[in-house]
Amino acid sequence: MIEVKLHDVGEGMTEGEIAHYLVQVGDHVTTDQPVVEVATDKMVAELPAPVSGIVKEIIIPVGQTVQVGTTLLHIEASNASEVSRVSEPAPVAVAAPPAQASPSKRVLATPYTRKIARDHGIDIESITASDPSGRVSEDDVLRFVNAAVAPQETVPSIVEEEVTQQQTPPETIPFRGIRKQIAKKMTQSLYTIPHVTHFEEVDMTRLLALRAEWKTAGRNININAFFIKALIVALKDYPVFHAKLDEANECIRLEQDFHFGMATETPDGLMVPVIRHADRLSLTELHDQLISLQQRAQNGALRAADLKPSTFTMSNVGPLGSTGATPIINYPETALIAFHKTKKRACVDEDDQIVVRSMMNLSMSFDHRVADGATAVAFTNRFVSLIEHPTTLLLELI
């Protein structure tokens, strides 16, 4: 009998949620046929069958989160040679054994989970783990907190009972897979990082005119490519926003490689595909990568390599019609910038004349532990200057 185990499908993956089984008990599968979908905090990955044979048992139910190395299902191989091939020992992560009661109880939990418990003044040893392994999760802590602050039950009145009986049960949407992983990521960011959001406006008139001129000449460049180039220049001048805070070693690590995360809305939820080494790419190369990543994201075809960790994240929600927002930082980065709708407005120029300009709002959230408001204003001023005077940006690219 061959065990199909959860293995690492990304960089540093330690656990995954069973999103969907593609087979049932009794089905015949072939080698490398996808049998189960697993959701991580970044993607949904398919795990293939290691051998051809019959599915004999499905062990882990849909919706449960398990550690890497956990057996998900059993397949009875139809070929003895395949059994010997997959039976060779390979290094796998070993699931932690269930916690046993002892005088010196050691609760299994991540440092982030312990931090949430400490912030609420809760002894983590008093929390019952929902995971069979005995590991206390963030959900367990938050569930314990909500139970502690819930109001005492009161005896309902006759009128309340009648209203309750007449209510129609609400519809439900499954809270699992990528949506659940997004929620965990957002909660981690907000619990850990003190967010401050700075707002600014940008005159896009000259850049849009330059882009239109290039388009007429047959060189259509995605507007995000210009934004990335301007951000790289500004980040080199203000590297504190291109960094990660290392509290354990009491230092701020300034990133040297420019890997840009592109917050992208997909049918499965928010994804952040990454353009790696963006500072080494031309405007045309950036345009090609942006279009390719967007298409793969919309078609659910993102690869693990597309979702490697980024060093700075940007979001362009302008095409959706947004005029402003307070974006959540992509932890553990120190800043995230969002671009909103470009709209023609009546403005007063340097000669006190009323002119029509194409104006865009931007919002930048940053980690207040790492940087201050004045630095954030200086950073966005540098970016705005490059966008409003694109010939200056071109000089920076030489």
Side-chain angles (χ1 to χ4, degrees), residues 232-360:
I232 290 172
V233 175
L235 288 171
K236 288 180 178 179
D237 291 342
Y238 299 92
V240 71
F241 298 114
H242 190 238
K244 292 183 175 67
L245 176 61
D246 186 345
E247 292 186 274
N249 294 297
E250 298 183 334
C251 66
I252 299 171
R253 301 189 180 277
L254 304 180
E255 300 285 358
Q256 301 302 307
D257 296 318
F258 288 84
H259 304 319
F260 267 71
M262 310 299 299
T264 305
E265 185 66 26
T266 74
D268 294 323
L270 181 66
M271 308 287 282
V272 187
V274 178
I275 296 179
R276 300 185 64 76
H277 300 292
D279 56 323
R280 305 177 188 176
L281 304 177
S282 67
L283 282 169
T284 303
E285 290 170 331
L286 281 173
H287 168 85
D288 292 340
Q289 287 211 24
L290 285 163
I291 298 301
S292 177
L293 280 177
Q294 183 179 27
Q295 290 176 347
R296 291 204 297 274
Q298 294 300 322
N299 296 331
L302 288 173
R303 304 163 299 195
D306 298 327
L307 297 166
K308 289 184 176 181
S310 55
T311 58
F312 187 86
T313 299
M314 58 175 274
S315 173
N316 188 350
V317 291
L320 302 178
S322 167
T323 58
T326 54
I328 298 176
I329 297 169
N330 187 16
Y331 179 88
E333 296 168 18
T334 58
L336 184 149
I337 195 165
F339 304 110
H340 305 284
K341 180 170 62 177
T342 298
K343 184 178 181 181
K344 289 186 176 182
R345 302 184 212 158
C347 303
V348 179
D349 65 10
E350 296 176 354
D351 298 324
D352 292 335
Q353 300 296 312
I354 297 178
V355 294
V356 176
R357 311 295 288 180
S358 296
M359 304 299 295
M360 178 187 75

Side-chain angles (χ1 to χ4, degrees), residues 41 112 178-193 195 270 272 326-331 336:
D41 60 345
Y112 174 62
I178 289 181
R179 173 52 54 194
K180 185 175 181 180
Q181 300 304 324
I182 291 172
K184 287 184 177 181
K185 188 80 171 180
M186 296 298 101
T187 301
Q188 181 186 23
S189 180
L190 283 177
Y191 265 108
T192 306
I193 300 175
H195 283 57
L270 181 66
V272 187
T326 54
I328 298 176
I329 297 169
N330 187 16
Y331 179 88
L336 184 149

